Amino acid sequence: MRRVAMTMLPLVALSLIVGTAMAEPIVVLNNGAQRDLVISRGEHRISIFSNELTIDPWPTSGGDAAYSLRINFQYQFGDPEVITGSIQGNDLPLFPPTPIQSPSLAVFGGLRLEGSTLNSDTTYLAPAYDTDLGNTVPAALHHGTHSFADFNLESFTEIGDMAYIGYASSDISTFGYAQIERVTDIDWKLVGYAFDPSGAEILVRNLAVPNGATLLTLGIGGASGLLRRRR
């Protein structure tokens, strides 16, 4: 399993009314040596509810990490005129404990979620779980240029364009989003992700732009995420 350099920044907003600090979502930035790693060719799996940034190669020895995403953008049959793409949650072993640890994915808004709020009122595509057979079909979003596609990669045209993947836990109790940056139409880098383990709603904002809040930098393990680190 490959670990990628990271910065973990739980944000603390100062309350001018009561003079006390109010916790903000946990933000994990990919600003280390592998900031330029292309994560959109189906070769990586990104953990999305962890305090420590973890990007595993895919397929992953021992199986997918719980609560992780695989982004797979390709040219169909090698033709640069035809793009295919999917964003998919992790597979799980048979008869996993519930609630199952594979993400639900925000449906509306495509990958243009900046400025929106993710909460229990957001529409999600949840993973399907068959309690009799014990198998899970992870949630997946797909690229297309037609009106009923989940997102359209061709609507992003500039180097440095930002896109956002909204997600929640399978039981829609914890919310977060990942931010990716365009290099080419199918090559994207991970900027980082944010989530709130308290279950509070979360505002989607550009993580590459400081928001003016007081920043509190903690060491690895200084705050708890939704999951413990895998060994």
Side-chain angles (χ1 to χ4, degrees):
M1 179 175 66
R2 180 170 58 194
R3 297 291 185 188
V4 182
M6 64 87 191
T7 298
M8 180 181 65
L9 298 176
L11 303 181
V12 179
L14 298 180
S15 170
L16 299 179
I17 298 175
V18 297
T20 58
M22 180 178 64
E24 291 290 323
I26 292 174
V27 175
V28 180
L29 297 177
N30 180 19
N31 60 0
Q34 297 200 45
R35 171 66 175 83
D36 292 327
L37 178 70
V38 171
I39 47 78
S40 58
R41 292 293 194 100
E43 300 172 340
H44 300 91
R45 184 162 284 285
I46 304 161
S47 295
I48 54 174
F49 278 133
S50 173
N51 288 353
E52 180 182 358
L53 184 66
T54 304
I55 302 177
D56 291 326
W58 189 89
T60 307
S61 177
D64 294 347
Y67 279 125
S68 60
L69 292 177
R70 179 174 174 242
I71 304 171
N72 189 15
F73 302 157
Q74 303 286 342
Y75 294 127
Q76 192 171 34
F77 308 118
D79 183 352
E81 299 298 320
V82 183
I83 296 174
T84 181
S86 65
I87 299 169
Q88 181 173 312
N90 56 285
D91 288 317
L92 290 169
L94 289 176
F95 296 102
T98 55
I100 59 174
Q101 295 186 342
S102 186
S104 299
L105 301 178
V107 175
F108 295 121
L111 302 182
R112 297 185 177 275
L113 297 176
E114 186 175 3
S116 62
T117 299
L118 300 174
N119 54 33
S120 59
D121 293 327
T122 305
T123 300
Y124 300 92
L125 179 63
Y129 177 57
D130 189 316
T131 56
D132 293 326
L133 298 178
N135 60 348
T136 303
V137 178
L141 304 178
H142 298 278
H143 156 80
T145 56
H146 41 77
S147 59
F148 52 87
D150 298 310
F151 60 90
N152 182 4
L153 289 174
E154 296 178 36
S155 69
F156 299 89
T157 59
E158 302 295 329
I159 296 174
D161 279 349
M162 299 295 183
Y164 302 84
I165 304 165
Y167 53 82
S169 54
S170 62
D171 59 356
I172 320 296
S173 64
T174 307
F175 311 100
Y177 66 93
Q179 179 177 344
I180 57 177
E181 179 181 354
R182 184 184 186 274
V183 180
T184 71
D185 45 8
I186 64 172
D187 291 330
W188 294 72
K189 302 181 294 185
L190 177 68
V191 175
Y193 58 88
F195 67 97
D196 193 327
S198 75
E201 64 182 21
I202 188 168
L203 173 67
V204 179
R205 64 174 186 84
N206 189 340
L207 299 176
V209 179
N211 71 346
T214 302
L215 300 182
L216 176 63
T217 305
L218 301 181
I220 294 174
S224 60
L226 189 63
L227 298 172
R228 292 183 178 177
R229 270 186 293 162
R230 293 192 304 143
R231 289 185 172 87

